[in-house]
Protein backbone atom coordinates (compact mmCIF):
# COMPACT_ATOMS: atom_id res chain seq x y z
CA UNK A 1 0.00 0.00 0.00
CA UNK A 2 1.14 3.54 -0.64
CA UNK A 3 2.87 5.32 2.21
CA UNK A 4 2.39 8.82 3.52
CA UNK A 5 2.83 11.31 0.70
CA UNK A 6 3.98 14.85 1.30
CA UNK A 7 4.10 17.53 -1.36
CA UNK A 8 6.06 19.37 -2.39
CA UNK A 9 9.39 17.83 -1.38
CA UNK A 10 11.23 21.13 -1.49
CA UNK A 11 10.16 24.75 -1.25
CA UNK A 12 11.99 28.05 -1.23
CA UNK A 13 10.06 31.06 -0.01
CA UNK A 14 10.82 34.64 0.87
CA UNK A 15 10.34 36.17 4.29
CA UNK A 16 6.81 37.49 4.74
CA UNK A 17 5.26 35.08 2.27
CA UNK A 18 2.94 32.27 3.20
CA UNK A 19 3.17 28.60 2.33
CA UNK A 20 0.86 25.59 2.23
CA UNK A 21 2.13 22.04 2.63
CA UNK A 22 0.12 18.94 1.85
CA UNK A 23 0.00 15.48 3.38
CA UNK A 24 -1.89 12.46 2.08
CA UNK A 25 -2.06 9.75 4.76
CA UNK A 26 -2.03 6.02 4.23
CA UNK A 27 -5.38 4.85 2.92
CA UNK A 28 -7.71 4.24 5.83
CA UNK A 29 -5.71 6.34 8.28
CA UNK A 30 -7.82 9.05 9.83
CA UNK A 31 -5.27 10.84 11.98
CA UNK A 32 -2.56 13.16 10.72
CA UNK A 33 0.09 14.75 12.90
CA UNK A 34 2.55 17.43 11.83
CA UNK A 35 6.05 17.92 13.17
CA UNK A 36 8.76 20.49 12.54
CA UNK A 37 12.31 19.13 12.46
CA UNK A 38 15.37 21.36 12.82
CA UNK A 39 18.96 20.49 13.78
CA UNK A 40 18.79 22.58 16.93
CA UNK A 41 15.35 21.64 18.26
CA UNK A 42 14.82 18.17 16.88
CA UNK A 43 11.29 16.99 16.21
CA UNK A 44 8.67 19.34 17.58
CA UNK A 45 4.98 18.61 17.51
CA UNK A 46 2.82 21.12 15.66
CA UNK A 47 -0.72 19.70 15.69
CA UNK A 48 -2.82 16.61 15.18
CA UNK A 49 -6.01 16.23 13.20
CA UNK A 50 -8.48 13.40 13.48
CA UNK A 51 -11.74 13.23 11.57
CA UNK A 52 -11.34 16.82 10.39
CA UNK A 53 -10.95 18.13 13.95
CA UNK A 54 -7.80 19.45 15.56
CA UNK A 55 -7.23 17.21 18.58
CA UNK A 56 -3.93 18.49 19.90
CA UNK A 57 -1.76 21.52 19.32
CA UNK A 58 1.88 22.12 20.08
CA UNK A 59 3.55 25.29 21.27
CA UNK A 60 3.80 27.19 18.01
CA UNK A 61 2.56 30.70 17.16
CA UNK A 62 -0.75 31.27 15.43
CA UNK A 63 1.05 31.74 12.11
CA UNK A 64 1.05 27.95 11.94
CA UNK A 65 -2.31 26.46 11.13
CA UNK A 66 -3.72 23.35 9.58
CA UNK A 67 -6.81 21.59 8.46
CA UNK A 68 -7.99 18.16 7.48
CA UNK A 69 -10.40 17.27 4.73
CA UNK A 70 -13.10 14.61 4.65
CA UNK A 71 -10.76 12.25 2.78
CA UNK A 72 -8.25 12.63 5.66
CA UNK A 73 -5.76 14.59 3.56
CA UNK A 74 -4.28 17.42 5.56
CA UNK A 75 -2.69 20.74 4.83
CA UNK A 76 -0.65 23.00 7.02
CA UNK A 77 -0.16 26.68 6.39
CA UNK A 78 2.48 29.05 7.63
CA UNK A 79 1.82 32.75 7.17
CA UNK A 80 4.26 35.66 7.34
CA UNK A 81 7.25 33.38 7.00
CA UNK A 82 10.35 34.03 9.09
CA UNK A 83 13.89 32.80 8.51
CA UNK A 84 13.53 30.57 11.57
CA UNK A 85 10.71 28.67 9.90
CA UNK A 86 13.24 26.96 7.66
CA UNK A 87 12.94 23.30 8.54
CA UNK A 88 11.85 19.87 7.46
CA UNK A 89 8.13 19.52 8.02
CA UNK A 90 7.04 15.96 8.63
CA UNK A 91 3.62 14.48 8.59
CA UNK A 92 2.72 11.22 10.32
CA UNK A 93 -0.48 9.31 9.83
CA UNK A 94 -2.20 6.72 11.98
CA UNK A 95 -5.43 4.79 12.04
CA UNK A 96 -6.73 6.47 15.13
CA UNK A 97 -6.10 9.35 17.47
CA UNK A 98 -2.98 8.74 19.62
CA UNK A 99 -2.56 5.12 18.54
CA UNK A 100 0.44 4.29 20.69
CA UNK A 101 3.94 3.36 19.71
CA UNK A 102 3.21 1.22 16.66
CA UNK A 103 0.79 3.47 14.97
CA UNK A 104 2.70 6.31 13.39
CA UNK A 105 3.98 6.24 9.82
CA UNK A 106 5.95 9.25 8.71
CA UNK A 107 6.23 10.77 5.27
CA UNK A 108 9.53 11.91 3.79
CA UNK A 109 8.83 15.52 4.63
CA UNK A 110 8.80 18.88 2.91
CA UNK A 111 12.04 20.82 3.13
CA UNK A 112 11.13 24.50 3.50
CA UNK A 113 13.81 27.13 3.09
CA UNK A 114 12.99 30.75 3.86
CA UNK A 115 15.32 33.35 2.37
CA UNK B 1 5.45 18.17 30.00
CA UNK B 2 7.61 15.34 28.80
CA UNK B 3 11.08 16.13 27.61
CA UNK B 4 13.17 13.60 25.79
CA UNK B 5 16.73 14.21 24.74
CA UNK B 6 19.76 12.41 23.50
CA UNK B 7 23.21 12.56 25.01
CA UNK B 8 25.47 12.80 21.96
CA UNK B 9 24.85 14.42 18.58
CA UNK B 10 27.26 12.07 16.78
CA UNK B 11 28.49 8.52 17.33
CA UNK B 12 31.18 6.95 15.15
CA UNK B 13 31.73 3.21 15.16
CA UNK B 14 33.56 0.61 13.10
CA UNK B 15 31.60 -1.85 11.02
CA UNK B 16 30.96 -4.98 13.05
CA UNK B 17 31.14 -3.24 16.41
CA UNK B 18 28.17 -2.86 18.72
CA UNK B 19 26.63 0.62 18.98
CA UNK B 20 24.94 2.12 21.99
CA UNK B 21 22.82 5.24 21.63
CA UNK B 22 21.58 6.88 24.82
CA UNK B 23 18.56 8.96 25.67
CA UNK B 24 17.26 10.64 28.81
CA UNK B 25 13.74 11.68 29.70
CA UNK B 26 12.51 14.17 32.24
CA UNK B 27 9.46 12.62 33.85
CA UNK B 28 7.71 9.32 34.25
CA UNK B 29 4.44 10.09 32.48
CA UNK B 30 5.22 8.06 29.36
CA UNK B 31 3.44 4.75 28.82
CA UNK B 32 5.94 3.77 26.16
CA UNK B 33 9.19 4.83 24.56
CA UNK B 34 10.08 4.53 20.90
CA UNK B 35 13.18 4.55 18.78
CA UNK B 36 13.11 5.84 15.22
CA UNK B 37 15.73 5.70 12.49
CA UNK B 38 15.93 8.46 9.90
CA UNK B 39 18.08 8.03 6.82
CA UNK B 40 19.14 10.99 4.73
CA UNK B 41 16.27 12.32 2.65
CA UNK B 42 13.70 10.06 4.25
CA UNK B 43 11.16 10.26 7.01
CA UNK B 44 11.64 8.55 10.37
CA UNK B 45 11.05 4.80 10.48
CA UNK B 46 9.93 2.92 13.55
CA UNK B 47 12.60 0.57 14.94
CA UNK B 48 11.42 -0.70 18.30
CA UNK B 49 9.42 0.36 21.30
CA UNK B 50 9.26 -0.55 24.98
CA UNK B 51 6.44 -0.24 27.45
CA UNK B 52 7.19 1.68 30.62
CA UNK B 53 6.61 -1.45 32.74
CA UNK B 54 9.45 -3.29 30.98
CA UNK B 55 13.23 -3.09 31.43
CA UNK B 56 14.40 -4.67 28.20
CA UNK B 57 13.10 -5.55 24.80
CA UNK B 58 14.90 -7.24 21.95
CA UNK B 59 14.34 -7.06 18.24
CA UNK B 60 16.39 -8.12 15.26
CA UNK B 61 19.94 -6.95 16.07
CA UNK B 62 18.53 -4.22 18.32
CA UNK B 63 17.88 -4.11 22.04
CA UNK B 64 16.29 -1.31 24.00
CA UNK B 65 16.98 -0.91 27.70
CA UNK B 66 14.90 1.21 30.02
CA UNK B 67 16.17 2.34 33.40
CA UNK B 68 13.32 4.09 35.15
CA UNK B 69 15.39 4.83 38.24
CA UNK B 70 17.64 7.23 36.37
CA UNK B 71 15.14 7.94 33.58
CA UNK B 72 17.46 6.63 30.91
CA UNK B 73 16.81 4.77 27.68
CA UNK B 74 19.33 3.16 25.36
CA UNK B 75 19.34 1.51 21.97
CA UNK B 76 21.92 -1.15 21.32
CA UNK B 77 22.68 -2.24 17.76
CA UNK B 78 24.64 -5.45 17.41
CA UNK B 79 27.22 -5.95 14.64
CA UNK B 80 26.68 -2.47 13.22
CA UNK B 81 26.55 -2.35 9.43
CA UNK B 82 27.03 0.52 6.96
CA UNK B 83 23.28 0.48 6.34
CA UNK B 84 22.76 1.42 9.97
CA UNK B 85 24.23 4.87 9.29
CA UNK B 86 21.40 7.29 10.04
CA UNK B 87 20.04 9.63 12.66
CA UNK B 88 18.43 7.83 15.57
CA UNK B 89 16.07 9.50 17.96
CA UNK B 90 14.00 8.42 20.89
CA UNK B 91 10.52 9.46 21.83
CA UNK B 92 8.06 9.02 24.65
CA UNK B 93 4.29 8.86 24.54
CA UNK B 94 1.19 7.77 26.35
CA UNK B 95 -1.88 9.78 27.08
CA UNK B 96 -0.23 12.59 25.18
CA UNK B 97 1.16 12.96 21.70
CA UNK B 98 4.71 11.58 21.42
CA UNK B 99 7.60 13.95 21.99
CA UNK B 100 11.04 13.31 20.55
CA UNK B 101 14.65 14.18 21.17
CA UNK B 102 17.09 15.87 18.79
CA UNK B 103 18.70 12.73 17.46
CA UNK B 104 22.13 11.09 17.36
CA UNK B 105 23.85 10.69 14.03
CA UNK B 106 25.38 7.22 13.81
CA UNK B 107 28.34 6.99 11.42
CA UNK B 108 29.58 3.52 10.55
CA UNK B 109 33.13 3.29 9.20
CA UNK B 110 34.02 0.31 6.98
Amino acid sequence: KAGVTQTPRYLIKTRGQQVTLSCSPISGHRSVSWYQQTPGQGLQFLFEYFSETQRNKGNFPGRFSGRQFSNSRSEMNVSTLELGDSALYLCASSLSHNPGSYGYTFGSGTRLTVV
Amino acid sequence: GESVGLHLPTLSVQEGDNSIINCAYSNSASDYFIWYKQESGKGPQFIIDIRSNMDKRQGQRVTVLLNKTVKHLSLQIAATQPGDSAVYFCGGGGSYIPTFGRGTSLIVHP
Side-chain angles (χ1 to χ4, degrees):
Chain A
K1 59 180 178 182
V4 178
T5 303
Q6 291 188 247
T7 56
R9 287 297 308 274
Y10 303 93
L11 264 179
I12 300 176
K13 289 287 188 178
T14 306
R15 265 184 307 175
Q17 286 186 312
Q18 74 164 15
V19 67
T20 300
L21 312 181
S22 178
C23 173
S24 292
I26 290 173
S27 178
H29 283 196
R30 296 169 61 192
S31 175
V32 173
S33 299
W34 288 90
Y35 288 83
Q36 180 194 66
Q37 187 177 34
T38 58
Q41 298 297 321
L43 265 181
Q44 292 188 291
F45 172 72
L46 280 156
F47 26 67
E48 181 209 10
Y49 286 87
F50 178 75
S51 293
E52 302 178 65
T53 303
Q54 188 180 87
R55 290 297 193 98
N56 289 284
K57 189 177 190 304
N59 190 26
F60 277 81
R63 299 185 297 107
F64 292 81
S65 63
R67 59 178 175 169
Q68 187 179 34
F69 303 95
S70 58
N71 62 357
S72 295
R73 189 177 72 86
S74 177
E75 289 181 346
M76 67 162 281
N77 185 77
V78 188
S79 62
T80 320
L81 283 166
E82 300 176 1
L83 295 179
D85 297 332
S86 296
L88 180 67
Y89 289 87
L90 290 161
C91 149
S93 80
S94 58
L95 277 168
S96 60
H97 162 61
N98 200 10
S101 57
Y102 284 105
Y104 294 96
T105 303
F106 281 88
S108 295
T110 292
R111 172 74 63 185
L112 172 65
T113 302
V114 182
V115 298
Chain B
E2 182 67 74
S3 174
V4 183
L6 285 167
H7 291 177
L8 292 173
T10 304
L11 177 65
S12 292
V13 300
Q14 291 295 129
E15 182 179 356
D17 286 352
N18 295 332
S19 303
I20 300 176
I21 302 172
N22 296 302
C23 186
Y25 59 97
S26 64
N27 67 54
S28 305
S30 295
D31 293 330
Y32 61 86
F33 297 91
I34 334 168
W35 281 98
Y36 276 89
K37 171 186 180 183
Q38 187 174 20
E39 296 175 277
S40 181
K42 297 183 180 179
Q45 289 182 293
F46 173 86
I47 302 173
I48 191 168
D49 72 335
I50 186 168
R51 305 295 299 181
S52 59
N53 60 357
M54 300 169 66
D55 297 321
K56 179 180 179 178
R57 187 160 190 229
Q58 287 185 293
Q60 190 174 12
R61 279 202 307 121
V62 295
T63 301
V64 57
L65 299 177
L66 176 62
N67 186 330
K68 293 180 285 293
T69 302
V70 295
K71 297 179 182 174
H72 182 269
L73 187 70
S74 69
L75 177 71
Q76 300 178 2
I77 304 174
T80 313
Q81 302 167 1
D84 295 327
S85 292
V87 175
Y88 291 81
F89 52 94
C90 62
S95 60
Y96 57 92
I97 295 297
T99 56
F100 299 94
R102 292 188 183 84
T104 289
S105 178
L106 177 64
I107 300 169
V108 182
H109 299 283

